Amino acid sequence: MLLGRLLLRTSTVNKMVSRNAYTASKPDPSKPNMLRVGLAFGSTAVLWALLFKQHSTDVHEYKTRNGLE
């Protein structure tokens, strides 16, 4: 009996403390968060720039090792 009451109380407390994920509001697609969009595109541009820089460095090293320059 005591265990049943304890379990009933903990489930009631869990329902009050926990948050339901399905009640969260969805983002409005007509008003994008420009900070997040800018960060996404900016980080993509930086990663592509680093990729091209690394590629040109690797090509230069390949050419010097194999005596092509």
Side-chain angles (χ1 to χ4, degrees):
M1 183 75 171
L2 181 62
L3 183 62
R5 284 186 181 181
L6 183 63
L7 289 175
L8 184 62
R9 273 194 184 158
T10 56
S11 66
T12 305
V13 169
N14 285 341
K15 286 180 184 176
M16 289 188 309
V17 174
S18 67
R19 194 175 78 171
N20 191 353
Y22 299 109
T23 60
S25 63
K26 293 184 179 181
D28 186 13
S30 65
K31 296 195 294 189
N33 186 348
M34 294 313 289
L35 177 65
R36 292 180 81 182
V37 171
L39 285 173
F41 283 122
S43 62
T44 302
V46 167
L47 288 174
W48 275 105
L50 289 173
L51 179 71
F52 283 126
K53 181 182 174 210
Q54 184 66 44
H55 176 69
S56 64
T57 304
D58 290 343
V59 168
H60 178 69
E61 183 179 344
Y62 173 80
K63 287 181 178 180
T64 55
R65 284 186 183 210
N66 292 323
L68 299 174
E69 275 190 353

